[in-house]
Amino acid sequence: MESAPNTNPVPQMLHVESNGTIPNSNHLFSLRSSLSSVKVPNWNGDLNLRSGKKMGLQSKENPKIVHGEVGYVLEDVPHLTDYVPDLPSYPNPLQDNPAYAVVKQYFVNLDDTVAQKIVVHKTSPRGTHFRRAGPRQRVYFESDEVHACIVTCGGLCPGLNTVIREIVCGLFHMYGVTKILGIEGGYRGFYARNTITMTPKTVNDIHKRGGTILGTSRGGHDTSKIVDSIQDRGINQVYIIGGDGTQKGASVIFEEIQRRGLKVAVAGVPKTIDNDIAVIDKSFGFDTAVEEAERAINAAHVEAESVENGIGLVKLMGRYSGFIAMYATLASRDVDCCLIPESPFYLEGKGGLFEFIEKRLKENGHMVLVVAEGAGQELIAESMRSMDHEDASGNKLLLDVGLWLSQKIKDHFARSKKVAINLKYIDPTYMIRAIPGNASDNVYCTLLAHSVIHGAMAGYTGFTVGPVNGRHAYIPFHRITETRNKVVITDRMWARLLSSTNQPSFLSHKDVEDAKTEGEPVTQLLDGENCKDGHHVVDNGLADNGTR
Ligand SMILES: Nc1ncnc2c1ncn2[C@@H]1O[C@H](COP(=O)(O)OP(=O)(O)O)[C@@H](O)[C@H]1O
Ligand SMILES: O=P(O)(O)OC[C@H]1O[C@](O)(COP(=O)(O)O)[C@@H](O)[C@@H]1O
Ligand SMILES: [Mg+2]
């Protein structure tokens, strides 16, 4: 354990040449040869990257966007050389690593980028791209200079320990980094808790455990205290694992570090069990959660079919997005009705839930309902106290739809006296996220860890890593925090679900039309995503698997 921060000074001055250029900026502009025009909005006016002029501090309001031919756009991530002067680079030590040296084309070409949209028309512009993740020929840290730290924030998710383990082992084995600290208990751990020294030995078997060995928390994001702690301890690589809230926090930390002119790479690994993080294909732990959710649905099915007029009701996580409920339903095939936040429903009257339950019980003698925790919140609010409560991170605190729905169904059938039902309610909420990652999530976590390490070592900062159409990319923080993925109820995946359960859509003609307009363009099935304002991505998050 290390308790007292050391005071290892790091460069504080932001050096700008008198002619406004940034030294060592060649790296940054390696794309320039292939670009017809390069436009960087708001960076001290409209400057041209070809001239290598200073770009100003980067932020959500001042993104690093590069335009190329035929509508090519690179939404780039910041690099330490953008604001730290005279940064030397070094050959990547992986060149001498026997495990990697034999791999043909192991290093990523500096000009490689990943397209956000892969389904295009003959006349489509090339569209938005992100920088491809992976090891570079040259790095901006020497192995013994690196002092890394890892922090986990927000809710738990299967695979957290695997990401931690692989960051530690990857830094150690690939880059020879030995100084790695674990920050305990989320963001507040930077200034209020001790740190843990981490080595491959101490993390050796943590991937077999659920949770995070570092602990986590909500709230407690005090930017200046966090950056003071980073600076005081001499930390120069910060690995931040967490969801949308965490990545917003990481973005603010990056901006403060940049403002102070510190040579510190800030890199995020996106985490959320709800799979609602924008841009990336899928978040780690999601598959594991769906698998575990299916076990609960199985139990509900067994209970329901064993009694007369049995109803099994399962509540699953999904605060704003119903991906877990949708995929668990699709995987199970035992579910008669799936309710998610994106699809409003109603209980009474023609086309309502009660009518459907009666019909299914008559047909089959039992039924299984799955409800995502964020579903029907407005309905509950009508019959219960106010719903405007928040947790320490500012997330909406939900009213318990599972208990509410159970009671409503029981009341309805008691009142109608038509059928005597036997309802079993299962709430596996925390069980699906407090488990270790499954095999495929563990491999995915390893790739995420490797990608994030390569990015930080190569001097990139202010980025999150994740697969975009199957290729790992470096994505600027703001792109994954400005919007969240939701199930598009006018998209094919939801149609598949409706056809597998044969449940009512609960939508009027007007609802369908409204949903289509919200998700413009209506050609989304061809595009594979809903794009608004150029980059508002709202799709089912599971691209590149041939399912769309
Ligand atoms: N807008 C924000 N700016 C700075 N920090 C934030 C912001 N939103 C959330 N955070 C911080 O990020 C951490 C995790 O956020 P939370 O929403 O609880 O989980 P998650 O990252 O999983 O979404 C908390 O410590 C919280 O204080
Ligand atoms: O009880 P907690 O820890 O606040 O977590 C509950 C919430 O966390 C989630 O799992 C997602 O949280 P994140 O924002 O951390 O990804 C939600 O589905 C759920 O509502
Ligand atoms: Mg969140």
Side-chain angles (χ1 to χ4, degrees):
M1 294 283 241
E2 182 190 310
S3 52
N6 73 46
T7 43
N8 187 7
V10 272
Q12 295 243 11
M13 290 292 294
L14 177 62
H15 173 89
V16 182
E17 299 283 24
S18 53
N19 62 1
T21 59
I22 303 174
N24 261 314
S25 52
N26 283 351
H27 169 94
L28 225 195
F29 311 131
S30 57
L31 278 160
R32 63 189 162 186
S33 55
S34 60
L35 298 172
S36 61
S37 75
V38 181
K39 196 166 164 251
V40 187
N42 303 327
W43 288 355
N44 292 347
D46 192 0
L47 298 178
N48 190 327
L49 286 189
R50 282 170 196 272
S51 64
K53 283 194 180 159
K54 172 171 159 33
M55 295 156 295
L57 299 185
Q58 288 160 55
S59 64
K60 191 167 78 179
E61 293 74 33
N62 195 20
K64 192 167 160 186
I65 297 176
V66 179
H67 293 268
E69 283 168 12
V70 209
Y72 173 96
V73 177
L74 168 63
E75 295 208 19
D76 206 359
V77 294
H79 192 271
L80 291 170
T81 52
D82 294 354
Y83 68 92
V84 183
D86 301 325
L87 262 191
S89 66
Y90 313 92
N92 192 323
L94 280 169
Q95 279 164 12
D96 307 318
N97 184 318
Y100 298 99
V102 291
V103 181
K104 199 174 159 222
Q105 291 184 334
Y106 184 71
F107 294 103
V108 164
N109 187 304
L110 276 183
D111 288 354
D112 283 357
T113 58
V114 178
Q116 184 173 12
K117 248 189 200 181
I118 51 168
V119 181
V120 290
H121 300 166
K122 208 161 51 181
T123 53
S124 300
R126 290 180 67 200
T128 298
H129 293 67
F130 300 106
R131 208 171 261 283
R132 184 179 171 196
R136 269 51 184 174
Q137 296 272 5
R138 298 197 71 78
V139 294
Y140 282 77
F141 290 93
E142 284 185 293
S143 304
D144 57 3
E145 167 201 0
V146 176
H147 192 188
C149 78
I150 307 172
V151 65
T152 51
C153 312
L156 293 183
C157 185
L160 273 168
N161 279 333
T162 314
V163 178
I164 297 170
R165 181 189 192 279
E166 297 308 321
I167 293 177
V168 174
C169 294
L171 277 170
F172 194 95
H173 295 305
M174 293 195 291
Y175 287 100
V177 171
T178 52
K179 280 188 284 177
I180 309 165
L181 284 183
I183 306 294
E184 283 191 315
Y187 277 133
R188 59 168 58 89
F190 273 104
Y191 54 88
R193 299 278 290 270
N194 290 341
T195 53
I196 304 171
T197 304
M198 305 183 85
T199 65
K201 213 168 175 181
T202 62
V203 297
N204 185 40
D205 60 357
I206 63 170
H207 60 297
K208 295 175 188 161
R209 284 182 246 161
T212 156
I213 57 151
L214 295 176
T216 185
S217 65
R218 299 197 188 270
H221 187 282
D222 184 325
T223 314
S224 56
K225 281 192 191 168
I226 292 170
V227 179
D228 286 351
S229 163
I230 290 169
Q231 202 172 351
D232 290 347
R233 293 176 198 276
I235 290 167
N236 51 20
Q237 290 187 1
V238 185
Y239 294 96
I240 302 178
I241 312 167
D244 54 343
T246 305
Q247 304 300 321
K248 281 179 197 156
S251 177
V252 184
I253 292 172
F254 157 68
E255 283 172 27
E256 178 58 16
I257 280 174
Q258 187 187 218
R259 200 186 60 75
R260 295 191 194 184
L262 306 176
K263 184 193 173 185
V264 178
V266 181
V269 178
K271 169 249 40 151
T272 172
I273 199 159
D274 294 347
N275 193 39
D276 58 357
I277 293 187
V279 184
I280 64 169
D281 296 343
K282 182 167 68 173
S283 50
F284 73 82
F286 176 72
D287 278 352
T288 308
V290 169
E291 222 169 81
E292 193 64 13
E294 230 196 302
R295 284 154 53 88
I297 294 172
N298 268 342
H301 185 233
V302 170
E303 288 287 343
E305 70 174 354
S306 305
V307 292
E308 204 180 335
N309 293 318
I311 300 177
L313 173 59
V314 180
K315 184 180 80 170
L316 295 172
M317 281 194 167
R319 205 195 298 264
Y320 306 102
S321 312
F323 289 111
I324 297 178
M326 175 166 83
Y327 275 80
T329 295
L330 276 166
S332 147
R333 304 280 160 176
D334 285 334
V335 179
D336 294 272
C337 186
C338 173
L339 303 169
I340 59 170
E342 295 88 338
S343 181
F345 65 94
Y346 55 95
L347 301 178
E348 316 265 356
K350 196 161 168 41
L353 183 64
F354 293 154
E355 184 191 77
F356 177 66
I357 296 176
E358 279 171 26
K359 181 169 156 268
R360 264 303 142 90
L361 288 180
K362 209 167 174 183
E363 285 164 4
N364 297 344
H366 71 276
M367 77 174 297
V368 177
L369 284 157
V370 164
V371 60
E373 62 179 340
Q377 289 296 304
E378 296 74 25
L379 277 183
I380 315 171
E382 278 172 24
S383 61
M384 284 169 80
R385 63 192 164 76
S386 139
M387 55 188 283
D388 292 330
H389 296 291
E390 291 182 344
D391 69 14
S393 294
N395 299 304
K396 182 169 82 173
L397 276 180
L398 302 175
L399 301 168
D400 192 330
V401 65
L403 285 175
W404 174 83
L405 194 56
S406 304
Q407 199 53 51
K408 283 283 174 190
I409 295 170
K410 283 179 189 165
D411 290 349
H412 170 80
F413 283 97
R415 250 193 341 261
S416 76
K417 297 197 175 87
K418 279 194 234 161
V419 193
I421 60 152
N422 197 334
L423 187 144
K424 299 285 191 299
Y425 173 46
I426 300 183
D427 179 354
T429 309
Y430 292 103
M431 293 180 67
I432 67 165
R433 73 173 200 186
I435 51 175
N438 66 13
S440 76
D441 271 324
N442 274 339
V443 174
Y444 178 23
C445 290
T446 305
L447 298 188
L448 285 170
H450 285 195
S451 295
V452 80
I453 294 169
H454 293 314
M457 288 301 296
Y460 293 109
T461 181
F463 71 89
T464 298
V465 68
V468 178
N469 297 313
R471 292 293 186 155
H472 280 225
Y474 298 137
I475 306 158
F477 282 137
H478 69 93
R479 281 304 309 276
I480 64 153
T481 55
E482 67 196 358
T483 179
R484 60 168 63 91
N485 268 3
K486 287 186 177 243
V487 173
V488 179
I489 59 169
T490 51
D491 208 346
R492 271 196 202 141
M493 215 55 190
W494 187 243
R496 287 188 184 102
L497 180 133
L498 292 180
S499 98
S500 100
T501 58
N502 209 7
Q503 70 189 65
S505 75
F506 301 109
L507 294 175
S508 64
H509 176 70
K510 184 177 173 304
D511 289 332
V512 174
E513 288 308 308
D514 288 351
K516 277 185 186 162
T517 330
E518 270 169 31
E520 275 181 322
V522 184
T523 55
Q524 58 171 307
L525 292 182
L526 181 63
D527 289 345
E529 65 183 351
N530 276 340
C531 277
K532 246 186 192 175
D533 307 330
H535 55 231
H536 180 155
V537 180
V538 186
D539 76 359
N540 68 21
L542 301 179
D544 204 37
N545 55 7
T547 56
R548 259 205 289 256

